[in-house]
């Protein structure tokens, strides 16, 4: 009899061509399915909460899969992680939990939280260079905060939609955008019901321009209203972006983990 299992994952996006299995390139999905199939001794197919891009990291990706294999929660976690360690894969399973067949990692989610981490310093970092985006110009976060507030609520986000986006609708509801400076780091946090392809990185492209004072905060509203991707400017680099939480209804009782990324946990507090 098939059972549905939910997993929590973290992974280093710099090692992968993104979540989704592709004809060329090494994806998180392909690596995970190979490991789980070895643990189960049968083919496993997975479904995720959010398809992260090339170079984008995850502290709390959620997936589900169905299997007839009888394995404990511990076996799914430690079995997969042993395989990842052996192959030097930058993925770890954080938890496993049996769920009802009504649970769907993507469709059951009510919100996603992403954090974008900027190292805002005149000198490019030698450490963590694949895990932060470097910006040498001192960013005006008050300008960035003012600009970001134009995007709150439900809007047509066509101006921030990647050309390869497969979503049927550009309408999304952004519940919160918070921006905070921690010494030489600037953290921008987005919470929404869902995100379009490249949406966060394209919004960050606008916030970088505003933060450098090359555009006024009101420009963020103009870009949104134009509903034209060409008006939004460049797509920000992927290495500073993290999927840090996927929220589900309490009825599923999924484990909670500390919001990441880990190297800022001790200093972040509440954004």
């Amino acid at each position: 009899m098939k059972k549905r299992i939910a997993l929590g994952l973290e992974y280093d996006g710099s090692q992968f061509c993104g979540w989704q299995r592709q004809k060329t390139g090494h994806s998180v999905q392909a690596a995970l399915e190979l490991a789980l199939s070895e643990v189960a001794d049968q083919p496993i197919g997975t479904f995720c909460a959010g398809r992260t891009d090339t170079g984008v990291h995850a502290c709390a990706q959620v997936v589900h899969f169905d299997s007839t294999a009888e394995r404990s929660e511990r076996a799914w976690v430690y079995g997969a992680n042993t395989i990842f360690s052996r192959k030097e894969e930058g993925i770890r399973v954080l938890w496993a939990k049996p769920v009802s067949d009504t649970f769907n990692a993507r469709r059951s989610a009510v919100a996603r939280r992403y954090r974008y981490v900027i190292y805002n310093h005149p000198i490019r970092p030698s450490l963590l260079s694949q895990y932060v985006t470097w910006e040498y110009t001192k960013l005006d976060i008050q300008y960035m905060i003012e600009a970001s507030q134009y995007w709150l609520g439900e809007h047509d986000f066509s101006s921030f939609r990647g050309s390869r986006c497969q979503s049927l609708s550009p309408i999304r509801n952004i519940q919160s955008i918070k921006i905070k400076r921690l010494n030489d780091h600037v953290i921008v946090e987005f919470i929404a019901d869902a995100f379009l392809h490249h949406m966060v990185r394209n919004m960050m492209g606008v916030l970088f321009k505003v933060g450098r004072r090359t555009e006024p905060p009101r420009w963020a509203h103009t870009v949104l209203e134009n509903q034209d991707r060409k008006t939004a400017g460049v797509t920000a680099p992927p290495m500073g972006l993290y999927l840090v939480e996927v929220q589900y209804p309490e009825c599923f009782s999924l484990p909670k983990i500390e919001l990441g990324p880990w190297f800022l946990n001790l200093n972040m507090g509440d954004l």
Side-chain angles (χ1 to χ4, degrees), residues 243-257:
L243 173 60
V244 301
E245 184 185 27
V246 185
Q247 298 175 9
Y248 293 94
E250 289 296 326
C251 63
F252 293 117
S253 300
L254 296 185
K256 304 288 186 183
I257 64 171

Side-chain angles (χ1 to χ4, degrees), residues 6-265:
L7 296 180
L9 304 177
E10 68 175 23
Y11 50 82
D12 175 354
S14 66
Q15 297 187 22
F16 300 96
C17 64
W19 160 265
Q20 193 166 10
R21 180 187 290 275
Q22 300 179 27
K23 292 181 180 179
T24 60
H26 187 43
S27 70
V28 177
Q29 183 179 24
L32 177 63
E33 289 177 354
L34 281 173
L36 293 176
S37 297
E38 186 173 334
V39 174
D41 197 26
Q42 62 182 230
I44 297 289
T46 59
F47 303 86
C48 76
R51 292 191 292 250
T52 51
D53 300 329
T54 301
V56 175
H57 312 290
C59 306
Q61 176 71 273
V62 177
V63 307
H64 81 263
F65 63 92
D66 296 331
S67 175
T68 57
E70 293 290 338
R71 302 288 186 272
S72 68
E73 296 172 31
R74 178 182 174 85
W76 288 119
V77 173
Y78 288 95
N81 287 341
T82 297
I83 294 165
F84 293 141
S85 296
R86 188 173 71 224
K87 296 182 178 180
E88 298 186 357
E89 299 274 20
I91 312 175
R92 291 296 180 270
V93 178
L94 303 175
W95 54 262
K97 186 179 189 298
V99 290
S100 71
D101 58 9
T102 62
F103 176 81
N104 183 289
R106 184 166 190 170
R107 296 191 183 96
S108 300
V110 296
R112 284 91 169 159
R113 185 193 306 251
Y114 280 87
R115 284 178 174 169
Y116 196 91
V117 182
I118 305 161
Y119 181 62
N120 194 200
H121 190 275
I123 307 300
R124 182 189 294 272
S126 61
L127 301 176
L128 299 177
S129 60
Q130 292 300 313
Y131 308 103
V132 296
T133 291
W134 175 53
E135 171 58 41
Y136 61 86
T137 303
K138 183 80 169 184
L139 294 172
D140 186 327
I141 68 166
Q142 294 305 316
Y143 262 40
M144 295 168 71
I145 291 169
E146 184 179 341
S148 69
Q149 301 311 291
Y150 291 112
W151 300 334
L152 295 178
E154 187 173 87
H155 301 284
D156 181 326
F157 285 96
S158 292
S159 292
F160 305 99
R161 182 177 187 165
S163 59
R164 293 184 294 145
C165 184
Q166 299 175 354
S167 176
L168 298 177
S169 170
I171 305 298
R172 293 293 185 269
N173 189 333
I174 295 185
Q175 301 161 13
S176 172
I177 304 176
K178 296 180 180 179
I179 304 173
K180 183 176 182 178
R181 178 179 290 280
L182 295 172
N183 300 318
D184 292 326
H185 291 90
V186 174
I187 299 90
V188 185
E189 180 183 272
F190 300 84
I191 303 176
D193 56 350
F195 292 88
L196 301 166
H197 183 242
H198 281 176
M199 180 173 163
V200 173
R201 290 171 59 194
N202 290 336
M203 289 191 292
M204 284 305 308
V206 169
L207 290 180
F208 271 118
K209 279 196 168 185
V210 172
R212 297 177 191 124
R213 289 178 166 258
T214 57
E215 295 286 354
R218 179 74 184 178
W219 181 61
H221 180 261
T222 301
V223 171
L224 176 69
E225 290 297 302
N226 283 344
Q227 297 180 17
D228 182 356
R229 174 68 192 97
K230 295 177 182 177
T231 66
V234 301
T235 301
M239 65 280 289
L241 184 57
Y242 296 78
L243 173 60
V244 301
E245 184 185 27
V246 185
Q247 298 175 9
Y248 293 94
E250 289 296 326
C251 63
F252 293 117
S253 300
L254 296 185
K256 304 288 186 183
I257 64 171
E258 188 172 8
L259 297 177
W262 63 266
F263 58 86
L264 292 174
N265 281 351

